[in-house]
Amino acid sequence: MTVSPPPLGHRLLVADSRSGTDRSLVECLAGLPFEIEQVTSLAQALARLESKSFDAVAVDVGLPDGDGAKAVSVLRERTRGTAVVALVNVAERLTGVEAMQLGAEDYLVKEHFDPRLAERTLLAAIDRRRTLLELERAEAQVRRQALFFESVSDAILVADNDDRIVDCNGAAERIFGFTRQEMIGQTPSLLRAGLDHPSLRKEIVEAIEREGRWFGEIPFVAKDGRTGINEVLVMPIRDEAGRFVGTFGANRDITERKRLEEQLRHAQALEAVGRLAGGVAHDFNNLLTTILGYCDVMMQDLAEGDPLRSSVREIRRAGERAAALTRQLLAFGRKQVFAAQLVDLNALVEQTGDRLRAAAGDRVEVRLEPDSARRLLVRVDEALLEQILLNLAANAVDAMPHGGLMVLATAAVRVEGEDGNPSGPRAGEYALLTFSDSGSGMDAETRRHLFEPFFTTKEKGAGRGLGLASVYGTVTQAGGHIDVSSSLGSGTTLRLFLPRVADRPSGEHELPLKKPSAPAEVAEPGGREVVLVVEDDEMVRRLVRQVLSSRGYQVIEAASAEQAMALLPTAQASVDLLLTDLFMSGASGIDLAQEFIRRSPRGRVILMSGYADEAALQGGMPNAAGFLQKPFTADQLVRRVRRALHSTEN
């Protein structure tokens, strides 16, 4: 039976099987704001609740299939949003109480049905059920918020309008080191030692009023003195009237990220400066080649006792010092000619010990701690690596004017892939060379500039500041990495990671290198062979032509690899030696040498450059008679050409 209610009535389901002359609940509610449906069993009530939603259900505890008050618990399990009112007899009032204990909002006595009482009871039950649901939803939301509040890795600080912390999460305790009780009631200035907190607070509030939020980076100081940087998002908290009553701040610890970014920027800056240094040194080497070469030419033309000979010697000596400086620039730029060879790091440390002790003097103790349990083979330029140790020792001694301890140790280490970072060593096996001293140490600003060329903390005129720059270049060119740890008053430790090798690879090719030497008193014999000279610097090309021509050689010149290739078809039969710069605009010296050897299988090749990298040299030419490093003297040029032409190697 359905009774049509006034508009906007509440939907009511009545489950009542009573019959007789007693007035029913449906009749009692006639004309009141209820849309009523009636069923006569619990099963029918459950079926209707499955297909339609009701605001309330009035259930007779005497239903034949209801098992008394337990019918209420069955209905409560099926629907959380519907109010349940039990219908009981006068004699069953205790059953009504039991029904409420099982989930009913209230009960009505059948014999005393009164329209107003029934209406009030049902409306109150509906309101109570809705209120209870809202409370459950609110409680669930609070639990979710609390779970989020405690589970996020960001430190969350909730502050009131007076900037006093009123709550924080567990992450805040972990990051800042203070307990929740220690932070509550304090201002965030507790965590920001050294900052102008009132100015920062004003900036944050103004940004919130203007943009609705504030986002930025704030340095922090933890309870134990540890410092770091937080990425902070501050949002406003407003009351129901929209008034600003506090702030919600999420603090993400980005200390490690900032450190890695700083290391990466530093590495990129060093890379850029290295490229610049290498480019400058390349051009400078061409000038020095001309200066040193013509010094030799003049020395040959000047008789013994001529007062100009001493002047030329001074010019040459200055040129050699400039050449040494240029080699350091090239080492920093990782463009130095790299005489790669297998070196036992332990043996090198042992054999360098006496020189280190001599450099350290009597006040500094030198302790060597090589890893004697294994061989630590690395592929480096032995002379450059030895120079690294001497450079490091010199810096360590300067940091210990009153004496101290210098320790040089080696070890085998492995860097795992997951441990790597953009500014650290790549994954792999390394021989670790650790150099530490007990000196004055360095501050953060000095560490940032440590490997830059010409940076020095010494007094004016006391040093060029290129020693550590060349260390950086040499280690990086060898595929290694340098890590520095130091603080004022605590000494310095440098860890050099050099790629470790097990044995010499089969077929490894090395070009013989010759170190600069003083001009010979006896002129190198010349020859009548044909030499094709390819050099894009006109001054160097003119010098080489003059020196070789004066020794009887026939010289053919080309200013580029392309020009030389154009000459080869007509000159290839007579060219005995190709002397070419390694790097030129357009095609490289390697490209030209390969084409020359293809056309003249028995021809000889000399590569020359002051700006070479290991990759270019390792692509070595089978007919390459050697490498002539710029700047070179006239005597070195003639000796290299003579040796190449007399070589019988294929």
Side-chain angles (χ1 to χ4, degrees), residues 356 385-400 406 408 433-437 450-451 467-468 471-472 475 482 484 492 494-496:
L356 293 177
L385 184 55
E386 188 172 343
Q387 188 61 44
I388 282 178
L389 299 181
L390 294 175
N391 284 339
L392 295 178
N395 280 277
V397 170
D398 289 341
M400 297 182 289
M406 183 192 309
L408 185 59
L433 179 64
T434 303
F435 196 104
S436 60
D437 66 64
L450 187 61
F451 297 116
L468 289 178
V471 170
Y472 170 85
V475 172
I482 302 180
V484 181
T492 299
L494 290 93
R495 303 169 73 216
L496 280 59

PDB file of all heavy atoms in Angstrom, residues 356 385-400 406 408 433-437 450-451 467-468 471-472 475 482 484 492 494-496:
ATOM      1  N   LEU A 356     109.031  12.689  -2.090  1.00  0.00           N
ATOM      2  CA  LEU A 356     108.005  13.327  -1.263  1.00  0.00           C
ATOM      3  C   LEU A 356     108.590  13.760   0.076  1.00  0.00           C
ATOM      4  O   LEU A 356     108.277  14.850   0.584  1.00  0.00           O
ATOM      5  CB  LEU A 356     106.835  12.364  -1.038  1.00  0.00           C
ATOM      6  CG  LEU A 356     105.993  12.004  -2.267  1.00  0.00           C
ATOM      7  CD1 LEU A 356     104.930  10.982  -1.893  1.00  0.00           C
ATOM      8  CD2 LEU A 356     105.342  13.238  -2.864  1.00  0.00           C
ATOM      9  N   LEU A 385     101.631  11.380 -13.528  1.00  0.00           N
ATOM     10  CA  LEU A 385     101.129  10.919 -12.240  1.00  0.00           C
ATOM     11  C   LEU A 385     102.132  11.221 -11.129  1.00  0.00           C
ATOM     12  O   LEU A 385     101.757  11.623 -10.019  1.00  0.00           O
ATOM     13  CB  LEU A 385     100.833   9.420 -12.296  1.00  0.00           C
ATOM     14  CG  LEU A 385     100.202   8.813 -11.039  1.00  0.00           C
ATOM     15  CD1 LEU A 385      98.931   9.548 -10.665  1.00  0.00           C
ATOM     16  CD2 LEU A 385      99.919   7.333 -11.240  1.00  0.00           C
ATOM     17  N   GLU A 386     103.404  11.061 -11.434  1.00  0.00           N
ATOM     18  CA  GLU A 386     104.425  11.402 -10.446  1.00  0.00           C
ATOM     19  C   GLU A 386     104.398  12.896 -10.145  1.00  0.00           C
ATOM     20  O   GLU A 386     104.546  13.314  -8.991  1.00  0.00           O
ATOM     21  CB  GLU A 386     105.801  10.989 -10.966  1.00  0.00           C
ATOM     22  CG  GLU A 386     106.902  11.127  -9.936  1.00  0.00           C
ATOM     23  CD  GLU A 386     108.212  10.524 -10.410  1.00  0.00           C
ATOM     24  OE1 GLU A 386     108.190   9.721 -11.373  1.00  0.00           O
ATOM     25  OE2 GLU A 386     109.254  10.857  -9.830  1.00  0.00           O
ATOM     26  N   GLN A 387     104.163  13.697 -11.181  1.00  0.00           N
ATOM     27  CA  GLN A 387     104.071  15.137 -10.973  1.00  0.00           C
ATOM     28  C   GLN A 387     102.856  15.487 -10.110  1.00  0.00           C
ATOM     29  O   GLN A 387     102.887  16.425  -9.310  1.00  0.00           O
ATOM     30  CB  GLN A 387     103.986  15.854 -12.325  1.00  0.00           C
ATOM     31  CG  GLN A 387     104.076  17.369 -12.234  1.00  0.00           C
ATOM     32  CD  GLN A 387     105.394  17.838 -11.642  1.00  0.00           C
ATOM     33  OE1 GLN A 387     106.453  17.340 -12.002  1.00  0.00           O
ATOM     34  NE2 GLN A 387     105.323  18.787 -10.722  1.00  0.00           N
ATOM     35  N   ILE A 388     101.776  14.718 -10.266  1.00  0.00           N
ATOM     36  CA  ILE A 388     100.588  14.916  -9.426  1.00  0.00           C
ATOM     37  C   ILE A 388     100.959  14.779  -7.951  1.00  0.00           C
ATOM     38  O   ILE A 388     100.601  15.618  -7.113  1.00  0.00           O
ATOM     39  CB  ILE A 388      99.497  13.895  -9.799  1.00  0.00           C
ATOM     40  CG1 ILE A 388      98.788  14.323 -11.077  1.00  0.00           C
ATOM     41  CG2 ILE A 388      98.480  13.751  -8.669  1.00  0.00           C
ATOM     42  CD1 ILE A 388      97.727  13.346 -11.529  1.00  0.00           C
ATOM     43  N   LEU A 389     101.686  13.712  -7.626  1.00  0.00           N
ATOM     44  CA  LEU A 389     102.052  13.472  -6.229  1.00  0.00           C
ATOM     45  C   LEU A 389     102.908  14.618  -5.688  1.00  0.00           C
ATOM     46  O   LEU A 389     102.727  15.063  -4.545  1.00  0.00           O
ATOM     47  CB  LEU A 389     102.802  12.147  -6.108  1.00  0.00           C
ATOM     48  CG  LEU A 389     102.023  10.899  -6.541  1.00  0.00           C
ATOM     49  CD1 LEU A 389     102.870   9.651  -6.338  1.00  0.00           C
ATOM     50  CD2 LEU A 389     100.722  10.779  -5.780  1.00  0.00           C
ATOM     51  N   LEU A 390     103.826  15.115  -6.505  1.00  0.00           N
ATOM     52  CA  LEU A 390     104.678  16.213  -6.058  1.00  0.00           C
ATOM     53  C   LEU A 390     103.871  17.499  -5.888  1.00  0.00           C
ATOM     54  O   LEU A 390     104.105  18.275  -4.949  1.00  0.00           O
ATOM     55  CB  LEU A 390     105.821  16.415  -7.053  1.00  0.00           C
ATOM     56  CG  LEU A 390     106.829  15.251  -7.135  1.00  0.00           C
ATOM     57  CD1 LEU A 390     107.845  15.511  -8.242  1.00  0.00           C
ATOM     58  CD2 LEU A 390     107.528  15.055  -5.798  1.00  0.00           C
ATOM     59  N   ASN A 391     102.908  17.748  -6.788  1.00  0.00           N
ATOM     60  CA  ASN A 391     102.047  18.927  -6.654  1.00  0.00           C
ATOM     61  C   ASN A 391     101.221  18.867  -5.371  1.00  0.00           C
ATOM     62  O   ASN A 391     101.074  19.851  -4.640  1.00  0.00           O
ATOM     63  CB  ASN A 391     101.119  19.056  -7.857  1.00  0.00           C
ATOM     64  CG  ASN A 391     101.821  19.581  -9.093  1.00  0.00           C
ATOM     65  OD1 ASN A 391     102.872  20.214  -9.001  1.00  0.00           O
ATOM     66  ND2 ASN A 391     101.257  19.316 -10.252  1.00  0.00           N
ATOM     67  N   LEU A 392     100.664  17.678  -5.107  1.00  0.00           N
ATOM     68  CA  LEU A 392      99.866  17.520  -3.891  1.00  0.00           C
ATOM     69  C   LEU A 392     100.732  17.691  -2.646  1.00  0.00           C
ATOM     70  O   LEU A 392     100.311  18.297  -1.652  1.00  0.00           O
ATOM     71  CB  LEU A 392      99.191  16.150  -3.885  1.00  0.00           C
ATOM     72  CG  LEU A 392      98.138  15.902  -4.975  1.00  0.00           C
ATOM     73  CD1 LEU A 392      97.595  14.480  -4.872  1.00  0.00           C
ATOM     74  CD2 LEU A 392      97.007  16.907  -4.873  1.00  0.00           C
ATOM     75  N   ALA A 393     101.953  17.150  -2.694  1.00  0.00           N
ATOM     76  CA  ALA A 393     102.853  17.288  -1.548  1.00  0.00           C
ATOM     77  C   ALA A 393     103.208  18.749  -1.304  1.00  0.00           C
ATOM     78  O   ALA A 393     103.248  19.210  -0.156  1.00  0.00           O
ATOM     79  CB  ALA A 393     104.120  16.463  -1.785  1.00  0.00           C
ATOM     80  N   ALA A 394     103.453  19.491  -2.381  1.00  0.00           N
ATOM     81  CA  ALA A 394     103.802  20.907  -2.229  1.00  0.00           C
ATOM     82  C   ALA A 394     102.666  21.679  -1.576  1.00  0.00           C
ATOM     83  O   ALA A 394     102.885  22.511  -0.682  1.00  0.00           O
ATOM     84  CB  ALA A 394     104.145  21.496  -3.598  1.00  0.00           C
ATOM     85  N   ASN A 395     101.431  21.404  -1.997  1.00  0.00           N
ATOM     86  CA  ASN A 395     100.286  22.084  -1.398  1.00  0.00           C
ATOM     87  C   ASN A 395     100.108  21.683   0.064  1.00  0.00           C
ATOM     88  O   ASN A 395      99.751  22.512   0.911  1.00  0.00           O
ATOM     89  CB  ASN A 395      99.017  21.772  -2.190  1.00  0.00           C
ATOM     90  CG  ASN A 395      98.898  22.609  -3.447  1.00  0.00           C
ATOM     91  OD1 ASN A 395      98.445  23.743  -3.419  1.00  0.00           O
ATOM     92  ND2 ASN A 395      99.337  22.047  -4.562  1.00  0.00           N
ATOM     93  N   ALA A 396     100.340  20.404   0.364  1.00  0.00           N
ATOM     94  CA  ALA A 396     100.192  19.935   1.739  1.00  0.00           C
ATOM     95  C   ALA A 396     101.226  20.590   2.653  1.00  0.00           C
ATOM     96  O   ALA A 396     100.917  20.989   3.784  1.00  0.00           O
ATOM     97  CB  ALA A 396     100.315  18.417   1.789  1.00  0.00           C
ATOM     98  N   VAL A 397     102.450  20.707   2.175  1.00  0.00           N
ATOM     99  CA  VAL A 397     103.500  21.336   2.982  1.00  0.00           C
ATOM    100  C   VAL A 397     103.157  22.793   3.258  1.00  0.00           C
ATOM    101  O   VAL A 397     103.342  23.301   4.376  1.00  0.00           O
ATOM    102  CB  VAL A 397     104.862  21.220   2.264  1.00  0.00           C
ATOM    103  CG1 VAL A 397     105.913  22.069   2.970  1.00  0.00           C
ATOM    104  CG2 VAL A 397     105.311  19.762   2.226  1.00  0.00           C
ATOM    105  N   ASP A 398     102.626  23.497   2.248  1.00  0.00           N
ATOM    106  CA  ASP A 398     102.228  24.894   2.446  1.00  0.00           C
ATOM    107  C   ASP A 398     101.143  25.016   3.520  1.00  0.00           C
ATOM    108  O   ASP A 398     101.057  26.037   4.214  1.00  0.00           O
ATOM    109  CB  ASP A 398     101.715  25.485   1.133  1.00  0.00           C
ATOM    110  CG  ASP A 398     102.841  25.704   0.131  1.00  0.00           C
ATOM    111  OD1 ASP A 398     104.015  25.739   0.556  1.00  0.00           O
ATOM    112  OD2 ASP A 398     102.550  25.834  -1.079  1.00  0.00           O
ATOM    113  N   ALA A 399     100.284  23.970   3.631  1.00  0.00           N
ATOM    114  CA  ALA A 399      99.192  24.005   4.610  1.00  0.00           C
ATOM    115  C   ALA A 399      99.653  23.607   6.006  1.00  0.00           C
ATOM    116  O   ALA A 399      98.862  23.681   6.954  1.00  0.00           O
ATOM    117  CB  ALA A 399      98.056  23.077   4.157  1.00  0.00           C
ATOM    118  N   MET A 400     100.933  23.176   6.145  1.00  0.00           N
ATOM    119  CA  MET A 400     101.459  22.751   7.453  1.00  0.00           C
ATOM    120  C   MET A 400     102.766  23.493   7.750  1.00  0.00           C
ATOM    121  O   MET A 400     103.837  22.876   7.833  1.00  0.00           O
ATOM    122  CB  MET A 400     101.677  21.233   7.462  1.00  0.00           C
ATOM    123  CG  MET A 400     100.406  20.421   7.281  1.00  0.00           C
ATOM    124  SD  MET A 400     100.677  18.621   7.356  1.00  0.00           S
ATOM    125  CE  MET A 400     101.550  18.347   5.799  1.00  0.00           C
ATOM    126  N   MET A 406     101.605  13.796   6.646  1.00  0.00           N
ATOM    127  CA  MET A 406     101.122  13.606   5.275  1.00  0.00           C
ATOM    128  C   MET A 406     101.034  12.097   5.035  1.00  0.00           C
ATOM    129  O   MET A 406     102.007  11.376   5.245  1.00  0.00           O
ATOM    130  CB  MET A 406     102.099  14.257   4.284  1.00  0.00           C
ATOM    131  CG  MET A 406     101.684  14.183   2.827  1.00  0.00           C
ATOM    132  SD  MET A 406     103.067  14.676   1.720  1.00  0.00           S
ATOM    133  CE  MET A 406     103.568  16.231   2.444  1.00  0.00           C
ATOM    134  N   LEU A 408      99.930   8.980   2.341  1.00  0.00           N
ATOM    135  CA  LEU A 408      99.625   8.580   0.966  1.00  0.00           C
ATOM    136  C   LEU A 408      99.284   7.096   0.992  1.00  0.00           C
ATOM    137  O   LEU A 408     100.125   6.267   1.343  1.00  0.00           O
ATOM    138  CB  LEU A 408     100.820   8.851   0.060  1.00  0.00           C
ATOM    139  CG  LEU A 408     100.636   8.611  -1.436  1.00  0.00           C
ATOM    140  CD1 LEU A 408      99.515   9.478  -1.979  1.00  0.00           C
ATOM    141  CD2 LEU A 408     101.924   8.906  -2.183  1.00  0.00           C
ATOM    142  N   LEU A 433      93.711   6.304  -4.819  1.00  0.00           N
ATOM    143  CA  LEU A 433      94.892   6.941  -4.254  1.00  0.00           C
ATOM    144  C   LEU A 433      94.416   8.042  -3.312  1.00  0.00           C
ATOM    145  O   LEU A 433      93.805   9.019  -3.748  1.00  0.00           O
ATOM    146  CB  LEU A 433      95.762   7.526  -5.371  1.00  0.00           C
ATOM    147  CG  LEU A 433      97.036   8.265  -4.958  1.00  0.00           C
ATOM    148  CD1 LEU A 433      98.003   7.314  -4.275  1.00  0.00           C
ATOM    149  CD2 LEU A 433      97.698   8.903  -6.172  1.00  0.00           C
ATOM    150  N   THR A 434      94.659   7.862  -2.021  1.00  0.00           N
ATOM    151  CA  THR A 434      94.202   8.822  -1.011  1.00  0.00           C
ATOM    152  C   THR A 434      95.390   9.615  -0.484  1.00  0.00           C
ATOM    153  O   THR A 434      96.371   9.037  -0.008  1.00  0.00           O
ATOM    154  CB  THR A 434      93.505   8.104   0.160  1.00  0.00           C
ATOM    155  OG1 THR A 434      92.418   7.320  -0.357  1.00  0.00           O
ATOM    156  CG2 THR A 434      92.961   9.113   1.158  1.00  0.00           C
ATOM    157  N   PHE A 435      95.286  10.934  -0.587  1.00  0.00           N
ATOM    158  CA  PHE A 435      96.354  11.835  -0.142  1.00  0.00           C
ATOM    159  C   PHE A 435      95.759  12.748   0.927  1.00  0.00           C
ATOM    160  O   PHE A 435      94.849  13.520   0.655  1.00  0.00           O
ATOM    161  CB  PHE A 435      96.869  12.660  -1.323  1.00  0.00           C
ATOM    162  CG  PHE A 435      98.201  13.322  -1.073  1.00  0.00           C
ATOM    163  CD1 PHE A 435      99.352  12.818  -1.640  1.00  0.00           C
ATOM    164  CD2 PHE A 435      98.303  14.446  -0.267  1.00  0.00           C
ATOM    165  CE1 PHE A 435     100.583  13.413  -1.429  1.00  0.00           C
ATOM    166  CE2 PHE A 435      99.520  15.048  -0.030  1.00  0.00           C
ATOM    167  CZ  PHE A 435     100.675  14.530  -0.624  1.00  0.00           C
ATOM    168  N   SER A 436      96.258  12.653   2.154  1.00  0.00           N
ATOM    169  CA  SER A 436      95.696  13.458   3.247  1.00  0.00           C
ATOM    170  C   SER A 436      96.802  14.156   4.016  1.00  0.00           C
ATOM    171  O   SER A 436      97.942  13.681   4.070  1.00  0.00           O
ATOM    172  CB  SER A 436      94.862  12.580   4.196  1.00  0.00           C
ATOM    173  OG  SER A 436      95.657  11.564   4.751  1.00  0.00           O
ATOM    174  N   ASP A 437      96.440  15.299   4.589  1.00  0.00           N
ATOM    175  CA  ASP A 437      97.387  16.026   5.433  1.00  0.00           C
ATOM    176  C   ASP A 437      96.651  16.550   6.667  1.00  0.00           C
ATOM    177  O   ASP A 437      95.420  16.608   6.703  1.00  0.00           O
ATOM    178  CB  ASP A 437      98.047  17.173   4.661  1.00  0.00           C
ATOM    179  CG  ASP A 437      97.066  18.270   4.264  1.00  0.00           C
ATOM    180  OD1 ASP A 437      96.497  18.936   5.163  1.00  0.00           O
ATOM    181  OD2 ASP A 437      96.850  18.481   3.049  1.00  0.00           O
ATOM    182  N   LEU A 450      89.023  25.289  -6.117  1.00  0.00           N
ATOM    183  CA  LEU A 450      90.284  24.586  -5.907  1.00  0.00           C
ATOM    184  C   LEU A 450      90.990  24.206  -7.205  1.00  0.00           C
ATOM    185  O   LEU A 450      92.214  24.338  -7.319  1.00  0.00           O
ATOM    186  CB  LEU A 450      90.025  23.331  -5.063  1.00  0.00           C
ATOM    187  CG  LEU A 450      91.257  22.556  -4.602  1.00  0.00           C
ATOM    188  CD1 LEU A 450      92.138  23.431  -3.728  1.00  0.00           C
ATOM    189  CD2 LEU A 450      90.833  21.309  -3.833  1.00  0.00           C
ATOM    190  N   PHE A 451      90.253  23.718  -8.190  1.00  0.00           N
ATOM    191  CA  PHE A 451      90.877  23.194  -9.401  1.00  0.00           C
ATOM    192  C   PHE A 451      90.862  24.180 -10.565  1.00  0.00           C
ATOM    193  O   PHE A 451      91.170  23.807 -11.694  1.00  0.00           O
ATOM    194  CB  PHE A 451      90.187  21.891  -9.824  1.00  0.00           C
ATOM    195  CG  PHE A 451      90.338  20.793  -8.809  1.00  0.00           C
ATOM    196  CD1 PHE A 451      89.232  20.275  -8.160  1.00  0.00           C
ATOM    197  CD2 PHE A 451      91.579  20.288  -8.485  1.00  0.00           C
ATOM    198  CE1 PHE A 451      89.365  19.273  -7.217  1.00  0.00           C
ATOM    199  CE2 PHE A 451      91.727  19.294  -7.547  1.00  0.00           C
ATOM    200  CZ  PHE A 451      90.617  18.785  -6.912  1.00  0.00           C
ATOM    201  N   GLY A 467      99.062  24.115 -10.185  1.00  0.00           N
ATOM    202  CA  GLY A 467      99.378  22.749  -9.803  1.00  0.00           C
ATOM    203  C   GLY A 467      98.158  21.856  -9.708  1.00  0.00           C
ATOM    204  O   GLY A 467      98.091  20.808 -10.338  1.00  0.00           O
ATOM    205  N   LEU A 468      97.153  22.262  -8.934  1.00  0.00           N
ATOM    206  CA  LEU A 468      95.962  21.433  -8.770  1.00  0.00           C
ATOM    207  C   LEU A 468      95.091  21.442 -10.013  1.00  0.00           C
ATOM    208  O   LEU A 468      94.350  20.491 -10.257  1.00  0.00           O
ATOM    209  CB  LEU A 468      95.171  21.909  -7.549  1.00  0.00           C
ATOM    210  CG  LEU A 468      95.820  21.596  -6.204  1.00  0.00           C
ATOM    211  CD1 LEU A 468      94.990  22.141  -5.064  1.00  0.00           C
ATOM    212  CD2 LEU A 468      96.038  20.104  -6.036  1.00  0.00           C
ATOM    213  N   VAL A 471      96.486  18.726 -11.984  1.00  0.00           N
ATOM    214  CA  VAL A 471      96.101  17.452 -11.365  1.00  0.00           C
ATOM    215  C   VAL A 471      94.705  17.053 -11.824  1.00  0.00           C
ATOM    216  O   VAL A 471      94.460  15.907 -12.218  1.00  0.00           O
ATOM    217  CB  VAL A 471      96.145  17.570  -9.820  1.00  0.00           C
ATOM    218  CG1 VAL A 471      95.506  16.345  -9.174  1.00  0.00           C
ATOM    219  CG2 VAL A 471      97.572  17.729  -9.340  1.00  0.00           C
ATOM    220  N   TYR A 472      93.786  18.007 -11.772  1.00  0.00           N
ATOM    221  CA  TYR A 472      92.412  17.742 -12.203  1.00  0.00           C
ATOM    222  C   TYR A 472      92.388  17.263 -13.653  1.00  0.00           C
ATOM    223  O   TYR A 472      91.728  16.274 -13.996  1.00  0.00           O
ATOM    224  CB  TYR A 472      91.568  19.012 -12.048  1.00  0.00           C
ATOM    225  CG  TYR A 472      90.203  18.931 -12.683  1.00  0.00           C
ATOM    226  CD1 TYR A 472      89.137  18.372 -12.002  1.00  0.00           C
ATOM    227  CD2 TYR A 472      89.990  19.406 -13.976  1.00  0.00           C
ATOM    228  CE1 TYR A 472      87.888  18.282 -12.583  1.00  0.00           C
ATOM    229  CE2 TYR A 472      88.741  19.321 -14.565  1.00  0.00           C
ATOM    230  CZ  TYR A 472      87.693  18.762 -13.869  1.00  0.00           C
ATOM    231  OH  TYR A 472      86.466  18.677 -14.466  1.00  0.00           O
ATOM    232  N   VAL A 475      94.018  13.607 -14.109  1.00  0.00           N
ATOM    233  CA  VAL A 475      93.183  12.526 -13.574  1.00  0.00           C
ATOM    234  C   VAL A 475      91.929  12.342 -14.427  1.00  0.00           C
ATOM    235  O   VAL A 475      91.537  11.215 -14.746  1.00  0.00           O
ATOM    236  CB  VAL A 475      92.805  12.811 -12.103  1.00  0.00           C
ATOM    237  CG1 VAL A 475      91.778  11.801 -11.603  1.00  0.00           C
ATOM    238  CG2 VAL A 475      94.041  12.778 -11.224  1.00  0.00           C
ATOM    239  N   ILE A 482      88.229  13.010  -8.980  1.00  0.00           N
ATOM    240  CA  ILE A 482      88.830  13.514  -7.740  1.00  0.00           C
ATOM    241  C   ILE A 482      87.719  13.918  -6.784  1.00  0.00           C
ATOM    242  O   ILE A 482      86.792  14.627  -7.169  1.00  0.00           O
ATOM    243  CB  ILE A 482      89.744  14.724  -8.004  1.00  0.00           C
ATOM    244  CG1 ILE A 482      90.851  14.374  -8.993  1.00  0.00           C
ATOM    245  CG2 ILE A 482      90.370  15.204  -6.699  1.00  0.00           C
ATOM    246  CD1 ILE A 482      91.774  15.526  -9.300  1.00  0.00           C
ATOM    247  N   VAL A 484      87.248  15.707  -2.926  1.00  0.00           N
ATOM    248  CA  VAL A 484      87.972  16.483  -1.919  1.00  0.00           C
ATOM    249  C   VAL A 484      87.094  16.679  -0.694  1.00  0.00           C
ATOM    250  O   VAL A 484      85.924  17.042  -0.804  1.00  0.00           O
ATOM    251  CB  VAL A 484      88.389  17.873  -2.465  1.00  0.00           C
ATOM    252  CG1 VAL A 484      89.169  18.646  -1.407  1.00  0.00           C
ATOM    253  CG2 VAL A 484      89.218  17.728  -3.728  1.00  0.00           C
ATOM    254  N   THR A 492      93.070  18.208   5.052  1.00  0.00           N
ATOM    255  CA  THR A 492      92.482  17.991   3.719  1.00  0.00           C
ATOM    256  C   THR A 492      92.744  16.560   3.279  1.00  0.00           C
ATOM    257  O   THR A 492      93.824  16.017   3.518  1.00  0.00           O
ATOM    258  CB  THR A 492      93.095  18.966   2.693  1.00  0.00           C
ATOM    259  OG1 THR A 492      92.821  20.310   3.098  1.00  0.00           O
ATOM    260  CG2 THR A 492      92.511  18.733   1.302  1.00  0.00           C
ATOM    261  N   LEU A 494      92.323  14.244  -0.303  1.00  0.00           N
ATOM    262  CA  LEU A 494      91.978  14.134  -1.717  1.00  0.00           C
ATOM    263  C   LEU A 494      91.964  12.656  -2.074  1.00  0.00           C
ATOM    264  O   LEU A 494      92.922  11.920  -1.782  1.00  0.00           O
ATOM    265  CB  LEU A 494      92.974  14.874  -2.608  1.00  0.00           C
ATOM    266  CG  LEU A 494      92.942  16.398  -2.540  1.00  0.00           C
ATOM    267  CD1 LEU A 494      93.955  16.896  -1.521  1.00  0.00           C
ATOM    268  CD2 LEU A 494      93.235  17.007  -3.902  1.00  0.00           C
ATOM    269  N   ARG A 495      90.896  12.231  -2.699  1.00  0.00           N
ATOM    270  CA  ARG A 495      90.761  10.824  -3.128  1.00  0.00           C
ATOM    271  C   ARG A 495      90.735  10.797  -4.645  1.00  0.00           C
ATOM    272  O   ARG A 495      89.832  11.338  -5.276  1.00  0.00           O
ATOM    273  CB  ARG A 495      89.502  10.208  -2.537  1.00  0.00           C
ATOM    274  CG  ARG A 495      89.459  10.287  -1.010  1.00  0.00           C
ATOM    275  CD  ARG A 495      88.091   9.912  -0.472  1.00  0.00           C
ATOM    276  NE  ARG A 495      87.829   8.487  -0.558  1.00  0.00           N
ATOM    277  CZ  ARG A 495      86.659   7.948  -0.827  1.00  0.00           C
ATOM    278  NH1 ARG A 495      85.621   8.734  -1.064  1.00  0.00           N
ATOM    279  NH2 ARG A 495      86.498   6.656  -0.869  1.00  0.00           N
ATOM    280  N   LEU A 496      91.752  10.162  -5.230  1.00  0.00           N
ATOM    281  CA  LEU A 496      91.874  10.075  -6.676  1.00  0.00           C
ATOM    282  C   LEU A 496      91.439   8.681  -7.121  1.00  0.00           C
ATOM    283  O   LEU A 496      92.071   7.677  -6.764  1.00  0.00           O
ATOM    284  CB  LEU A 496      93.320  10.334  -7.117  1.00  0.00           C
ATOM    285  CG  LEU A 496      93.801  11.784  -7.198  1.00  0.00           C
ATOM    286  CD1 LEU A 496      93.686  12.493  -5.857  1.00  0.00           C
ATOM    287  CD2 LEU A 496      95.239  11.847  -7.698  1.00  0.00           C
TER     288      LEU A 496
END
